[in-house]
Amino acid sequence: MASILHVISPCCCPNSVPKVLPVEELKPERPTKKASSTSSIVNNNKDRLLNYVPVYVMLPLGVVSSDNEVIDGEGLRQQLRKLRAAGVDGVMTDVWWGIVESKGPKQYNWKGYRSLFQILHECDLKVQAIMSFHQCGGNVGDEVYIPIPPWVLEIGGSNPDIFYTDRSGNRNKEYLSLGVDNRPLFHSRTAVQMYRDFMSSFKENMAEFIAKGVIIDIEVGLGPAGELRYPSYPQSLGWVFPGIGEFQCYDKYLREEFNEAATAEGYPEWELPNNAGTYNDTPESTQFFKSNGTFQSNKGKFFLTWYSNKLLKHGDQILDEANQVFVGCKLNLAIKVSGIHWWYREENHAAELTAGYYNLKTRDGYRPISRMLSRHHAVLNFTCLEMRDFKQSEQAKSAPEELVQQVLSGGWREGLKVAGENALSRYDAAAYNQMLLNARPNGMDKNSEPKLRMFGVTYLRLSNELFAKKNFKIFKKFVKKMHAKQDYRPDPSDYNRPLVPLNRSGPEIPIEVLLEATKPMEPFVWDQETDIPV
């Protein structure tokens, strides 16, 4: 294996290199005229459909109760019918591991979710199903508590190192440490085997909904909140915005793996960071993140590369299992990446680094994730689409707009389908217009499909507040504008997004090739504002 610290050399296996779209093929010319004029709107319906972006709505976290029952089925039906009448394409919902497999290993009970999907089918709504291997509760917006299966927690009672651990020894029970991905600690199964078995049972029990085109997306949960990241900023442990968070690699399994990696590098004396501060520190108050701090030393670079590479490998392995389960099905695989926008303007990007995104001005921490996804034909789902820089606290050094542009541009450059969602519930025109801008960064194309167009947008989330008269009126405008002023289209082929059988994952991409994507590239040019505001 190549040294983490050594300069990466070109891969000697050209067949393993994913197809990366040349910049000149994707990068649109900067518009010479502000695109807000009504003269820019497409008149030909067929051409306009190629600008269509489907809209999904996230269902409540507890739509299926801990007792495995749909909560208030009739009330839900009424709300879903309103969504359908508003032109919404479908919904996204968590499928909680802690509900389905709560009674014991491989004792799956899909009753509540079969009932839910039947209701959604009757309401003519498509489904994006999240394989939620994490706990609900402890994160922003969590209103219900659904732990991971009790029998898994029981194993953690005698072996707490199955959980992510911070430097002080606090255990986070939201999601199993990636250090146990391949350790048979769960009644002779590894964590990855448990995830695969769950997905296999889902496929078997939901086959009719997949065959009918009701379930069209499987978003594979890869960490806390279902996101590919470490649980570096848990509210349950006292984190508050804009704290830098803490590294989460101090369980015995990840400690062992780091020691092995450091020894192989020739530095057996290197240890995990002990100077990176605590959850609510600022970067400059720590030795690790301050200017000319540890993060810029060889030791710091080695650790950050190892930490982020572990996350890449974790996502790659579980996606490969998911692909094997669903190959041949007419659906998309997807993962979610978190929009950690605070401290983005600082040279250290501290909050991103503790979460596992080794992203600096001189190093792209997201495009390697996109390159990894490319071999699995997976969709990249990113958050915080609604946020504007000037709305953020100056103290937090946030830059959500730049972050979104960086991540989406990297995904498109790697040839991915890119989707997104808002991070916080919003009901105002400013938020909707920002989401419209990010969905089509250069507006609608008069003659063909835009070079930059999101694969889909998910609105967070279904609630009584959304259906308040004023709120729902503007939401319906938002859906219509996402649809390029066209009516709802049940067949994605109409807007050049045909649902095709999932192909088998390509060959594993060597880590050296994934890390070639860390080379920074300028993001594509975004318009100043959307051309069809609500």
Side-chain angles (χ1 to χ4, degrees):
M1 180 176 178
S3 164
I4 290 179
L5 290 179
H6 290 175
V7 176
I8 297 167
S9 59
C11 177
C12 60
C13 304
N15 290 334
S16 67
V17 182
K19 180 180 180 182
V20 181
L21 298 183
V23 176
E24 60 271 16
E25 288 186 17
L26 266 180
K27 189 169 183 178
E29 295 180 359
R30 181 186 292 274
T32 57
K33 181 180 179 180
K34 179 75 76 174
S36 60
S37 169
T38 55
S39 64
S40 68
I41 302 303
V42 183
N43 293 315
N44 184 292
N45 286 351
K46 183 177 179 181
D47 289 341
R48 187 181 290 183
L49 272 174
L50 296 178
N51 295 268
Y52 186 110
V53 176
V55 177
Y56 305 88
V57 174
M58 179 76 80
L59 294 185
L61 292 165
V63 65
V64 173
S65 72
S66 296
D67 296 326
N68 219 328
E69 301 282 351
V70 175
I71 294 179
D72 188 15
E74 187 50 43
L76 177 64
R77 277 188 179 89
Q78 292 177 14
Q79 291 185 328
L80 294 174
R81 291 187 188 113
K82 291 179 181 179
L83 292 182
R84 180 77 290 285
V88 168
D89 297 83
V91 300
M92 178 180 280
T93 186
D94 291 279
V95 179
W96 295 106
W97 182 31
I99 292 177
V100 174
E101 200 179 353
S102 64
K103 301 302 182 184
K106 298 187 180 181
Q107 296 181 37
Y108 305 107
N109 184 346
W110 297 101
K111 179 180 67 171
Y113 289 101
R114 283 191 57 83
S115 298
L116 175 62
F117 295 155
Q118 183 59 38
I119 292 171
L120 294 168
H121 180 39
E122 292 169 1
C123 293
D124 192 28
L125 289 165
K126 297 180 176 65
V127 179
Q128 298 175 314
I130 309 172
M131 303 291 99
S132 296
F133 299 115
H134 60 286
Q135 167 189 294
C136 180
N139 286 297
V140 176
D142 286 355
E143 297 176 349
V144 297
Y145 176 66
I146 303 170
I148 62 177
W151 56 272
V152 177
L153 291 173
E154 185 177 340
I155 293 171
S158 58
N159 181 10
D161 285 289
I162 68 172
F163 302 118
Y164 283 119
T165 306
D166 64 23
R167 189 172 64 86
S168 299
N170 297 306
R171 313 291 187 172
N172 189 309
K173 298 179 181 179
E174 291 182 63
Y175 185 83
L176 295 176
S177 166
L178 59 79
V180 300
D181 275 357
N182 299 296
R183 297 178 187 266
L185 304 172
F186 307 94
H187 298 274
S188 300
R189 289 190 295 169
T190 68
V192 171
Q193 287 169 338
M194 290 193 296
Y195 304 147
R196 178 184 174 125
D197 290 345
F198 181 90
M199 291 187 285
S200 295
S201 181
F202 177 90
K203 177 190 172 185
E204 179 182 341
N205 285 272
M206 304 302 173
E208 64 182 283
F209 297 110
I210 295 174
K212 291 176 181 177
V214 178
I215 298 172
I216 61 166
D217 279 7
I218 300 294
E219 184 170 288
V220 183
L222 296 170
E227 298 167 335
L228 178 63
R229 64 173 176 87
Y230 294 92
S232 56
Y233 52 100
Q235 289 185 319
S236 60
L237 291 176
W239 174 86
V240 294
F241 180 86
I244 60 174
E246 292 192 31
F247 293 117
Q248 303 289 317
C249 52
Y250 297 86
D251 62 81
K252 69 178 182 182
Y253 301 110
L254 287 179
R255 279 183 180 273
E256 289 173 6
E257 293 183 24
F258 178 78
N259 290 338
E260 290 172 3
T263 299
E265 190 70 28
Y267 296 95
E269 72 278 10
W270 280 356
E271 297 181 349
L272 293 170
N274 62 1
N275 62 349
T278 57
Y279 289 109
N280 295 313
D281 281 337
T282 60
E284 283 297 324
S285 68
T286 75
Q287 293 298 311
F288 192 93
F289 294 114
K290 71 177 185 178
S291 297
N292 297 316
T294 305
F295 83 98
Q296 293 176 315
S297 68
N298 281 345
K299 180 180 178 181
K301 291 175 182 178
F302 173 84
F303 164 73
L304 291 168
T305 302
W306 171 83
Y307 189 67
S308 57
N309 284 358
K310 294 296 295 183
L311 200 63
L312 265 178
K313 178 63 178 176
H314 171 72
D316 189 38
Q317 183 178 4
I318 297 174
L319 273 175
D320 190 66
E321 297 290 344
N323 180 279
Q324 290 181 58
V325 169
F326 294 105
V327 67
C329 296
K330 283 191 174 183
L331 50 73
N332 295 292
L333 286 184
I335 73 160
K336 191 193 310 187
V337 171
S338 182
I340 300 178
H341 53 86
W342 53 104
W343 305 113
Y344 185 91
R345 293 189 187 279
E346 288 283 287
E347 65 172 346
N348 50 64
H349 290 242
E352 292 168 89
L353 267 53
T354 57
Y357 305 138
Y358 188 7
N359 188 54
L360 303 170
K361 186 175 182 181
T362 56
R363 187 187 194 279
D364 193 324
Y366 300 99
R367 199 154 61 89
I369 297 174
S370 292
R371 183 164 292 186
M372 178 270 289
L373 293 179
S374 68
R375 88 170 181 102
H376 302 293
H377 322 291
V379 178
L380 170 65
N381 185 16
F382 195 63
T383 61
C384 72
L385 293 189
E386 84 284 11
M387 292 186 173
R388 299 291 305 273
D389 290 356
F390 73 89
K391 291 283 188 178
Q392 308 305 312
S393 165
E394 177 59 32
Q395 174 194 0
K397 300 298 175 72
S398 290
E401 292 178 66
E402 285 84 346
L403 175 61
V404 167
Q405 291 172 19
Q406 177 191 347
V407 176
L408 269 56
S409 293
W412 279 318
R413 281 197 168 103
E414 295 297 324
L416 294 187
K417 301 169 183 173
V418 177
E421 59 188 53
N422 51 308
L424 303 173
S425 295
R426 294 276 296 272
Y427 309 97
D428 58 290
Y432 289 133
N433 287 338
Q434 185 65 18
M435 294 175 74
L436 284 162
L437 172 61
N438 286 321
R440 291 182 293 259
N442 301 119
M444 291 171 54
D445 193 300
K446 297 180 180 181
N447 304 308
S448 63
E449 180 176 346
K451 292 181 179 179
L452 302 180
R453 174 177 62 137
M454 295 193 79
F455 188 70
V457 166
T458 299
Y459 173 79
L460 186 152
R461 91 178 45 245
L462 185 68
S463 66
N464 291 332
E465 192 171 1
L466 174 63
F467 291 105
K469 185 176 181 180
K470 179 181 178 182
N471 291 346
F472 201 54
K473 181 179 180 181
I474 192 171
F475 175 76
K476 288 190 287 187
K477 290 182 181 178
F478 166 70
V479 173
K480 193 74 170 182
K481 298 300 177 69
M482 276 290 180
H483 288 174
K485 293 192 172 182
Q486 297 296 288
D487 293 334
Y488 161 71
R489 295 293 176 133
D491 184 358
S493 298
D494 289 345
Y495 46 93
N496 199 27
R497 294 288 191 259
L499 201 59
V500 298
L502 181 66
N503 289 325
R504 183 68 185 98
S505 294
E508 183 175 354
I509 302 172
I511 189 65
E512 294 85 0
V513 179
L514 292 177
L515 295 185
E516 287 173 1
T518 61
K519 180 181 178 181
M521 300 180 75
E522 286 296 317
F524 297 128
V525 177
W526 255 241
D527 288 353
Q528 291 294 314
E529 58 188 40
T530 179
D531 55 341
I532 48 172
V534 297

